[in-house]
Amino acid sequence: MFSLEGITTATQDWLLIKFNPTIALAIECVIVILLSISLFALLGLVLVLMERKVAARIQIRLGPNRVGPGGIFQTAADTLKLIMKEGLTPDTADKFLFNLAPFIVMMVAMLLLAPIAFAKNFQIWDINIGVLYISAISSLSVIGILMAGWASNNKYSLLGAMRSGAQIVSYELSAGFAVLTIVVLTGSLQISEIVAAQQNGWWLFKGHIPVIIAFVLYIIAVTAETNRAPFDLAEAESELTAGFHTEYSGMKFALFSLAEYINIFIVCAIGATLFLGGWMPLHIGHWEGFNHIMDYIPSSIWFMGKTFFLIFLIMWFRWTFPRLRVDQLLNLEWKYLLPISLFNLLLVTIIAIMGWHF
Amino acid sequence: MYNQTEIIKDTTELGPEGELVVNMGPQHPATHGVLHLVVTLNGETIKKIEPHLGYIHRSIEKMCESLTYRQFIYVTSRMDYLSSHINNTACALLVEKGMQIEVPERAQYVRTILNELTRIASHELWIGAMAMDLGAFTPFFYAFREREMITEIMEDTCGARLTMNYIVPGGLMYDIHPTFQNKVKAFIKQFKEKVVEYEDLVTNNVIFQSRTKGVGILSAEDAISFGCTGPVARASGVNCDIRKIAPYDVYAKVEFDEVIETAGDSFARYMVRIKEMNQSIRIIEQLIDTIPEGDFVGKTKNVLKLPKGEFYQRVETARGEFGVYIVSEGGTTPHRIKFRSPGFSNLSALSHMAEGSKIGDLMATMGTLDLVIPDIDR
Amino acid sequence: MTNEEIKEYISAHAPNATFEETGEWLNIIIEAAEWKALATAIKGNPLQMDFVFCLTCVDWKTHLTMVYHLTSTKQRHNIVIKANLTIDQPQIETVAGIWRTAEFHEREVFEMFGVHFSNHPDLRKLILEEDFKGFPLRKDFEDPINMIKL
């Protein structure tokens, strides 16, 4: 049966036969880097196209349909255009920080890819503090955004960056608490163990209502953390023209928008891993036949399916809701989401200690 | 306070008291055209708004002084381009009033129907644009689906989709298209089915309500003092519908309600427009089956000459009270012509309404004022 | 209120006012100096002229005429008030403090006709550029580059 695990093991065995272990490791590193970069490019293309198609579907229109069959090469053509465009740097901008910012945002997104389990035993780095690593790294992207807003020397950018700072710092808390509920239930920070703990059922189903609440909180918080509508105040097109990336053009702008989509992918992947069982197939109690059929679907497809379902959910939000106001956004977090998540964490802890979950 | 050169210099520096001075416009997604607002901010809070106008000023009033009474009507379509039929009607009514031209009933009926269709089309566009100001993109496409049907009716009737120029002194330029009545009925049917979707998507949306309720409040006294008219004033509880106060065409014969809300906030202005669309549908329904047969244009002289004197005609456009004031010396062209545009007065209230609120509220307030910049600049 | 009652009331407050009833509405021609006091009087009871729906100026080549169209949103009577100004030094008291809509309309008249509104809170150009010369809506305005004569 096809599996990514088989391919990786075969590659590693072959490399170890041909080269000495150090060189083999170096070659593996290069392969991983190349693979993650191409995954980035591919995800960027696919997600932008998906967003446009989803938007078109919601807005009773067709969406891109000229370049390639069904418009599938539209984003490739757009990327080509963006590469060819001149990357302007404003005269009054802080040139070093201005040019650095998109790369920081991009690098943060890349670093986040490391602990994600894409399929059974297919993971770049199964670090034992995986969840902690993700929470720590994902907060860094706000530095890139603040840098971009400040260095642009533009009032819209500055306002956007400040909003983004306030927003990410506050919503980080809720997202963190939502993630903690699963850590409490599993008793481990390691991604592979969290997935393994969902062998007999996803946490969303096993963990009673508190986990469902945590899941909802997580989705709201990460939508805000990735600056997506209805929380896209950092870009707030109608208010701040384009917020923190007003002054960016060409490929530098593309990097911001790529990072945004990669961030969506990553938070959805983490959501799928924590709440929906990662690459684990759907198993229902003692239905042996059903469970067997589900096992035949490759684990990578399970993972991608769940992730893309969550991505679709977040896109659905964007094309349905109006934007919140900045004070409403912060009120929502500090007055509602945070107390709820704290109380919810307490409930989950009680459930975990008493062993009430399935 | 800030003159032109200061504005250019000012973009990267702070104001005198350390406040942030932001130029919104002339190119800005929320100003819907070339409106330029100099906004003084204290953090996110608005301290002062100063409109700078004139980016699209064509001096239509001066232009009309050298145009004849048949020609000047076409220029008015370019002012409030979303209610061009209504602007044309105002000018035609004024010339008819001045020269005592009899307008056939058929023309009056068709004018009223077209005016109401224009009002619906304008409000449809407004829903989309305002929802976009608040960050919701989807309602725009839903609104344009219905608006498209109206523009198609307009295209059949007079060949144009936006600046119609269909109304002439004495009646209409041509007779209506044979399919006119059927198409209008089809539109009414679809509109009634689909208007529910706006309710689901926009009106009952919690975020939309929290963004608009209690935002940009304008009291009835202020609305009158600032000269606000149309949905903006009616949302504050001011009776100002010219169709009721000084009926023209066949408005006196039809039944409809003047929509009044009392809250005076952005949500009230939104609700007034939504309800007004339903009232417009009601007017059209009463007229569409009873368009009388006969001439579509009355007997007029080839060269129109308004008698010496002063004439004023008020009509209700989609944005409020539109007035045409003509001072005639008895010649073929007006001596002085003044267009009282609703947007100009409504805009003057913006600063008062938005002071002390957040930037996001400014978009909600400005969006529900329904500004059309060529109407303000003329 | 009927036109006769309005006339009576206005005559009491502006003794030099003359009346003209040929048009659609009652026209009242006053002297510029009387305007501010009259405006304050007609805003309040019993006339309640609380709504200026049109404020403009007409150039008669020999003089300018300020035209104020007023209505009452409570009693629904309309009047037109006119004040003649000299062409060399057109000056009239502002009414921006009485009807706030006048602030913008007076700024427009200021730049288009050059009428100076004394005590206006913020008399700057609204539509034209700061350094624009001339008053475009006056009859003697010439702009050889941008104006096309028919």
Side-chain angles (χ1 to χ4, degrees):
Chain A
M1 198 181 78
F2 162 81
S3 82
L4 290 168
E5 188 192 0
I7 297 169
T8 46
T9 329
T11 320
Q12 191 177 24
D13 289 346
W14 181 80
L15 282 171
L16 285 174
I17 294 164
K18 285 275 175 189
F19 306 99
N20 74 45
T22 322
I23 294 175
L25 189 68
I27 293 173
E28 274 173 22
C29 279
V30 172
I31 293 173
V32 166
I33 289 169
L34 287 177
L35 277 180
S36 41
I37 289 174
S38 42
L39 177 74
F40 258 57
L42 194 69
L43 273 179
L45 297 181
V46 170
L47 286 175
V48 173
L49 185 70
M50 175 176 165
E51 170 112 284
R52 293 181 66 176
K53 282 287 187 191
V54 168
R57 185 84 196 140
I58 291 173
Q59 297 174 341
I60 46 171
R61 58 194 174 91
L62 291 172
N65 59 356
R66 296 285 154 165
V67 190
I72 55 166
F73 298 128
Q74 180 67 53
T75 44
D78 286 346
T79 315
L80 197 67
K81 184 205 80 177
L82 283 169
I83 291 171
M84 311 267 267
K85 266 179 97 168
E86 183 188 0
L88 281 171
T89 308
D91 261 354
T92 48
D94 184 330
K95 297 204 173 45
F96 176 67
L97 290 183
F98 183 83
N99 291 319
L100 184 66
F103 291 100
I104 288 199
V105 176
M106 198 65 198
M107 242 142 38
V108 169
M110 274 195 178
L111 285 173
L112 280 172
L113 217 56
I116 290 170
F118 290 94
K120 197 177 180 183
N121 295 334
F122 187 76
Q123 200 172 355
I124 297 172
W125 187 24
D126 191 11
I127 182 176
N128 60 356
I129 50 161
V131 173
L132 185 67
Y133 172 86
I134 288 165
S135 326
I137 297 288
S138 63
S139 332
L140 286 178
S141 69
V142 70
I143 294 175
I145 291 176
L146 281 174
M147 209 184 257
W150 182 255
S152 297
N153 202 4
N154 175 315
K155 286 168 184 174
Y156 288 128
S157 304
L158 184 63
L159 279 171
M162 289 302 149
R163 281 178 173 192
S164 173
Q167 181 180 337
I168 293 182
V169 167
S170 7
Y171 278 83
E172 194 89 311
L173 290 170
S174 281
F177 281 120
V179 170
L180 271 186
T181 58
I182 301 301
V183 174
V184 166
L185 285 170
T186 319
S188 169
L189 288 165
Q190 198 166 359
I191 295 284
S192 59
E193 275 185 33
I194 290 174
V195 177
Q198 304 181 68
Q199 176 85 49
N200 54 349
W202 305 347
W203 277 126
L204 192 63
F205 303 135
K206 286 204 299 180
H208 306 293
I209 292 166
V211 175
I212 296 176
I213 295 173
F215 179 66
V216 173
L217 288 176
Y218 180 80
I219 292 291
I220 295 175
V222 297
T223 313
E225 245 193 287
T226 48
N227 290 329
R228 295 279 296 180
F231 307 105
D232 61 343
L233 286 134
E235 299 164 32
E237 192 212 322
S238 59
E239 296 161 30
L240 305 177
T241 57
F244 67 89
H245 59 60
T246 307
E247 295 285 2
Y248 284 87
S249 62
M251 208 52 210
K252 278 180 265 179
F253 162 75
L255 283 181
F256 272 119
S257 112
L258 184 61
E260 183 193 324
Y261 283 102
I262 303 295
N263 275 330
I264 295 163
F265 174 79
I266 285 164
V267 293
C268 289
I270 294 163
T273 309
L274 297 177
F275 297 95
L276 305 176
W279 47 263
M280 282 289 176
L282 177 68
H283 283 179
I284 299 176
H286 300 292
W287 299 12
E288 296 296 336
F290 177 80
N291 290 351
H292 261 295
I293 295 167
M294 288 292 137
D295 283 340
Y296 270 102
I297 301 173
S299 56
S300 51
I301 295 204
W302 273 110
F303 175 77
M304 283 295 173
K306 289 169 189 175
T307 308
F308 273 83
F309 168 70
L310 291 183
I311 292 174
F312 171 73
L313 213 62
I314 285 181
M315 286 181 179
W316 191 358
F317 292 160
R318 169 161 181 184
W319 298 108
T320 310
F321 293 127
R323 183 182 306 120
L324 273 93
R325 206 168 59 215
V326 66
D327 55 327
Q328 290 168 345
L329 175 96
L330 296 176
N331 276 352
L332 177 72
E333 165 63 20
W334 293 100
K335 288 191 183 159
Y336 302 100
L337 297 189
L338 190 63
I340 293 173
S341 15
L342 278 169
F343 183 69
N344 195 43
L345 185 63
L346 200 69
L347 271 184
V348 170
T349 318
I350 293 168
I351 288 174
I353 292 170
M354 306 302 279
W356 284 342
H357 59 84
F358 294 110
Chain B
M1 175 160 283
Y2 308 101
N3 67 29
Q4 225 81 27
T5 43
E6 272 170 15
I7 291 166
I8 297 161
K9 199 176 64 189
D10 213 22
T11 49
T12 53
E13 285 160 21
L14 296 178
E17 283 166 45
E19 68 274 82
L20 208 59
V21 182
V22 176
N23 285 297
M24 287 205 169
Q27 301 294 332
H28 189 274
T31 53
H32 302 298
V34 282
L35 176 64
H36 179 183
L37 301 174
V38 179
V39 184
T40 311
L41 293 171
N42 183 5
E44 283 263 345
T45 315
I46 293 162
K47 284 179 80 179
K48 200 170 94 198
I49 298 174
E50 250 191 276
H52 282 249
L53 306 176
Y55 288 90
I56 198 170
H57 196 276
R58 297 142 293 175
S59 204
I60 284 181
E61 291 171 8
K62 182 90 177 173
M63 215 191 286
C64 289
E65 285 174 14
S66 55
L67 296 176
T68 68
Y69 291 109
R70 283 198 191 279
Q71 291 169 328
F72 88 102
I73 292 183
Y74 308 127
V75 185
T76 59
S77 297
R78 274 80 185 169
M79 294 196 313
D80 182 356
Y81 50 80
L82 292 177
S83 0
S84 54
H85 259 313
I86 311 179
N87 292 352
N88 293 350
T89 311
C91 300
L93 285 169
L94 184 130
V95 176
E96 284 151 15
K97 186 156 78 181
M99 299 188 60
Q100 275 124 29
I101 300 170
E102 278 287 314
V103 185
E105 276 234 303
R106 185 178 175 81
Q108 291 191 2
Y109 271 66
V110 174
R111 276 183 188 183
T112 311
I113 294 169
L114 287 173
N115 281 356
E116 292 310 312
L117 282 176
T118 312
R119 194 183 313 281
I120 295 170
S122 168
H123 286 345
E124 294 267 15
L125 189 138
W126 163 81
I127 287 184
M130 185 222 43
M132 224 175 221
D133 284 349
L134 294 181
F137 291 87
T138 307
F140 191 80
F141 294 90
Y142 283 73
F144 262 58
R145 179 183 54 193
E146 270 77 65
R147 189 175 180 273
E148 183 62 25
M149 292 191 81
I150 299 180
T151 46
E152 264 172 32
I153 294 169
M154 297 298 179
E155 201 178 350
D156 284 350
T157 315
C158 46
R161 289 162 66 90
L162 197 66
T163 49
M164 282 72 141
N165 307 328
Y166 179 55
I167 290 160
V168 294
L172 309 168
M173 195 179 267
Y174 303 106
D175 206 354
I176 49 172
H177 197 265
T179 60
F180 179 74
Q181 273 147 313
N182 287 337
K183 281 207 167 181
V184 172
K185 279 180 207 161
F187 163 73
I188 292 173
K189 190 163 166 284
Q190 172 167 351
F191 182 85
K192 282 186 167 173
E193 281 168 14
K194 300 290 184 180
V195 80
V196 185
E197 285 182 358
Y198 308 148
E199 301 267 317
D200 292 343
L201 196 60
V202 187
T203 317
N204 297 329
N205 190 318
V206 180
I207 299 178
F208 175 78
Q209 291 198 2
S210 63
R211 278 296 300 277
T212 50
K213 278 190 179 163
V215 167
I217 294 177
L218 185 69
S219 68
E221 290 75 40
D222 284 337
I224 294 170
S225 180
F226 277 111
C228 295
T229 45
V232 177
R234 287 200 282 281
S236 304
V238 181
N239 281 292
C240 60
D241 198 330
I242 306 296
R243 294 175 293 174
K244 287 277 185 199
I245 297 169
Y248 50 94
D249 281 343
V250 287
Y251 282 114
K253 292 182 194 164
V254 290
E255 271 184 27
F256 68 100
D257 301 326
E258 182 178 355
V259 183
I260 298 275
E261 294 267 337
T262 46
D265 57 2
S266 291
F267 191 70
R269 290 190 281 276
Y270 169 83
M271 285 316 289
V272 166
R273 290 200 176 89
I274 293 281
K275 288 178 185 165
E276 227 172 56
M277 287 202 282
N278 291 324
Q279 293 301 327
S280 295
I281 288 285
R282 205 172 135 197
I283 295 173
I284 297 170
E285 274 181 330
Q286 290 172 45
L287 297 176
I288 191 69
D289 283 322
T290 52
I291 300 177
E293 294 296 320
D295 289 339
F296 56 87
V297 65
K299 291 238 178 323
T300 51
K301 287 175 198 153
N302 275 340
V303 178
L304 299 178
K305 275 185 185 171
L306 231 59
K308 193 169 163 39
E310 288 169 21
F311 305 93
Y312 197 96
Q313 177 65 43
R314 312 160 79 181
V315 294
E316 180 78 14
T317 72
R319 257 147 285 278
E321 177 185 335
F322 176 74
V324 190
Y325 173 60
I326 287 186
V327 180
S328 172
E329 287 278 72
T332 52
T333 57
H335 178 75
R336 162 91 174 112
I337 191 158
K338 155 86 184 167
F339 296 109
R340 186 259 189 234
S341 63
F344 190 73
S345 301
N346 289 355
L347 174 73
S348 66
L350 176 67
S351 181
H352 173 75
M353 288 155 83
E355 254 163 47
S357 58
K358 302 272 186 289
I359 303 176
D361 291 339
L362 173 63
M363 301 309 146
T365 313
M366 203 154 68
T368 45
L369 279 182
D370 196 8
L371 302 172
V372 166
I373 312 306
D375 176 42
I376 296 167
D377 273 357
R378 300 188 299 284
Chain C
M1 270 177 130
T2 60
N3 281 356
E4 292 309 313
E5 284 171 312
I6 294 173
K7 274 189 200 171
E8 211 171 287
Y9 184 79
I10 285 175
S11 301
H13 285 85
N16 295 327
T18 52
F19 301 95
E20 193 189 303
E21 279 183 276
T22 49
E24 191 180 359
W25 297 316
L26 174 67
N27 280 280
I28 301 153
I29 296 120
I30 57 161
E31 276 177 18
E34 289 173 338
W35 171 227
K36 180 76 182 227
L38 180 68
T40 321
I42 60 174
K43 171 82 188 293
N45 290 328
L47 276 177
Q48 296 179 318
M49 290 293 175
D50 50 4
F51 189 51
V52 180
F53 62 91
C54 188
L55 191 164
T56 189
C57 186
V58 181
D59 181 11
W60 293 103
K61 288 179 187 158
T62 51
H63 63 277
L64 298 173
T65 307
M66 283 300 296
V67 185
Y68 300 83
H69 286 74
L70 297 137
T71 186
S72 163
T73 51
K74 296 179 185 73
Q75 305 180 36
R76 297 283 171 220
H77 45 222
N78 303 316
I79 54 170
V80 183
I81 291 188
K82 290 179 184 168
N84 289 333
L85 310 174
T86 56
I87 194 121
D88 304 323
Q89 269 197 325
Q91 188 164 4
I92 192 166
E93 189 83 7
T94 178
V95 286
I98 301 167
W99 299 286
R100 298 183 71 176
T101 182
E103 185 180 334
F104 267 46
H105 281 96
E106 283 179 352
R107 278 174 74 177
E108 196 190 359
V109 171
F110 163 69
E111 63 194 329
M112 293 298 176
F113 288 93
V115 177
H116 188 81
F117 293 92
S118 44
N119 299 329
H120 190 282
D122 187 20
L123 199 63
R124 288 178 297 124
K125 286 191 167 141
L126 178 68
I127 290 167
L128 299 172
E129 286 167 28
E130 292 288 319
D131 50 0
F132 193 90
K133 293 275 185 297
F135 306 109
L137 284 185
R138 283 203 188 174
K139 290 284 174 189
D140 57 3
F141 179 76
E142 289 291 337
D143 185 347
I145 300 162
N146 296 318
M147 254 170 78
I148 300 162
K149 280 270 164 72
L150 286 178

